[in-house]
Amino acid sequence: MLTDVTILGAGLGGLTLARVLHVHGIPATVHEAEPSPAARSQGGMLDIHDYNGQLALEAAGLTDAFHALVLEGRQAMRVLDTDGTVLFEEADDGTGGRPEVMRGELRQVLLDSLPAGTVRWGHKARSTRTLGEGSHEVTFADGSTVVTSLLVGADGAWSRVRPLLTTAVPAYTGKSVVETYLFDADTRHPEAAETVGGGSMMALTPGRELFAHREKGDTLHAYIGLSEPRDWFTAIDFADAAAATARIAQEFAGWAPELTALITDSDVAPVLRPLYALPAGHRWERVPGVTLIGDAAHLAAPNGEGANLAMLDGAELGQALAAHPDDVEAALTAYEQGMFPRSAEAAASQAADTHGTDSAGDTVHPLVAALTRHEQSR
């Protein structure tokens, strides 16, 4: 009988797994490197899809709590040309199937749904090793260890569990994003606020893009995407916020000022986030007593699916373990047989979208055409 599960990583995937196991009466321990739930910002908004993320929350028994977090109107979307012309606009009529919530608030709902002591904070995994017969040992940064017969890596891009299963490592995608925030936008940054609208906004040309959305509390959160090698960004001194902001803004010279204001008017220093991905279709041979979920299993460039897939991974693994309490290997096999094609399909879809919009001559008009077809088909 399965009596305990060891999970590394208290992100949305690991916590969803722990919650679904708890619903089925299976204890789990989650080890998290961060010292507390409030140790750092948990990022911005997430659109939670009705075909994966919401299914996971239903399995976790948290649908009502999720709906209480939804920010009304945030599914609205617009696409702009670089001169500020609106090329496509879609209102939020409440039927889009991808309501937006704040990632930190969703994570807190999951944390609150678990028994006290489930998450062990300040437990940064340093290494893992296989002991044989399905047992594995985790060594933490403080020198302590834990031995478990079921280890789940929910520990993200640079997973310490992944090497037990595969030699694959994430590779740079050729693109990075720079994050900015504009606070009290309607009063302090009215032109940018009007440009973004009530939901999300994007404007793009080959190798350059601006994406922004309106978060809770009248905040605009922007992601400035640039397709450049890592060395290009290394040459920018991000410790000098003013100089870094000016250098990034230079790449958008000639764009409408209400768009470039998302860069130049930031109320925080710009934050660089290089994007990495595992090989598309990444999979491994079954190793007794260990598996991966979320980015640890199928890290991809941001495509709106990462958090949703991580939660569905956690939910389906939890359900598989509940269905096979006396046969962990059968449970892990069933989970992986569903997860591998699902993550490969998501990666293939992202590649197809990129191929259709990231051409040398035009990016925005193929995107608008695709969005228009989608809206007409609804």
Side-chain angles (χ1 to χ4, degrees):
M1 175 67 70
L2 181 64
T3 59
D4 193 19
V5 181
T6 298
I7 304 166
L8 296 192
L12 297 180
L15 293 176
T16 300
L17 170 58
R19 168 61 183 179
V20 172
L21 290 173
H22 174 62
V23 167
H24 290 279
I26 300 172
T29 303
V30 182
H31 297 272
E32 169 55 45
E34 294 175 3
S36 74
R40 66 176 179 88
S41 169
Q42 294 301 310
M45 289 201 308
L46 294 173
D47 50 327
I48 305 300
H49 306 156
D50 53 11
Y51 54 86
N52 45 28
Q54 291 183 47
L55 297 179
L57 290 166
E58 181 179 355
L62 297 174
T63 296
D64 289 344
F66 160 69
H67 284 304
L69 301 179
V70 170
L71 297 171
E72 299 297 333
R74 298 310 199 276
Q75 291 186 72
M77 179 177 62
R78 54 176 52 168
V79 179
L80 274 61
D81 209 340
T82 58
D83 64 1
T85 301
V86 177
L87 301 175
F88 175 86
E89 187 157 19
E90 182 179 55
D92 180 4
D93 62 2
T95 64
R98 49 180 180 85
E100 301 269 1
V101 299
M102 297 300 295
R103 178 189 288 266
E105 294 183 355
L106 182 57
R107 186 197 195 205
Q108 191 60 52
V109 162
L110 286 161
L111 286 169
D112 291 343
S113 74
L114 296 172
T118 297
V119 180
R120 308 286 176 85
W121 300 99
H123 277 209
K124 180 178 177 61
R126 188 176 67 199
S127 63
T128 58
R129 65 179 180 130
T130 297
L131 300 179
E133 298 184 355
S135 293
H136 306 276
E137 181 184 72
V138 182
T139 300
F140 298 99
D142 63 2
S144 63
T145 62
V146 64
V147 174
T148 179
S149 58
L150 178 48
L151 176 62
V152 181
D155 49 344
W158 309 106
S159 171
R160 298 295 188 181
V161 180
R162 190 190 300 124
L164 298 178
L165 293 162
T166 172
T167 59
V169 294
Y172 181 57
T173 63
K175 177 180 178 180
S176 294
V177 297
V178 176
E179 287 188 65
T180 63
Y181 284 88
L182 279 65
F183 303 128
D184 301 319
D186 286 326
T187 54
R188 299 181 58 245
H189 308 285
E191 290 187 355
E194 183 176 354
T195 298
V196 173
S200 65
M201 180 280 303
M202 67 183 78
L204 59 159
T205 60
R208 300 289 181 269
E209 64 185 35
L210 288 176
F211 176 83
H213 51 216
R214 183 180 292 269
E215 293 185 350
K216 194 171 185 179
D218 195 19
T219 293
L220 301 182
H221 187 180
Y223 303 84
I224 300 94
L226 302 107
S227 297
E228 295 289 349
R230 284 299 313 270
D231 290 349
W232 190 90
F233 295 96
T234 302
I236 301 174
D237 182 9
F238 279 88
D240 185 337
T245 297
R247 180 64 187 90
I248 297 301
Q250 181 181 331
E251 295 300 308
F252 295 83
W255 289 42
E258 61 268 28
L259 289 171
T260 56
L262 293 166
I263 307 170
T264 58
D265 291 2
S266 177
D267 291 313
V268 301
V271 177
L272 174 66
R273 300 202 184 280
L275 303 181
Y276 290 83
L278 286 165
H282 173 240
R283 60 173 61 210
W284 53 86
E285 297 298 324
R286 175 94 294 283
V287 173
V290 59
T291 193
L292 306 171
I293 66 175
D295 284 350
H298 43 72
L299 177 69
N303 58 7
E305 296 290 354
N308 286 277
L309 289 175
M311 288 191 293
L312 188 57
D313 287 352
E316 290 200 347
L317 176 55
Q319 290 173 320
L321 290 167
H324 303 277
D326 298 313
D327 192 343
V328 169
E329 286 309 299
L332 298 185
T333 297
Y335 156 68
E336 290 176 355
Q337 286 178 343
M339 180 271 292
F340 286 143
R342 178 173 62 241
S343 58
E345 181 181 359
S349 176
Q350 168 68 3
D353 290 344
T354 299
H355 177 74
T357 61
D358 198 18
S359 64
D362 189 14
T363 56
V364 69
H365 291 94
L367 173 63
V368 169
L371 291 171
T372 301
R373 289 193 300 271
H374 176 71
E375 185 178 41
Q376 292 172 346
S377 68
R378 288 176 55 189

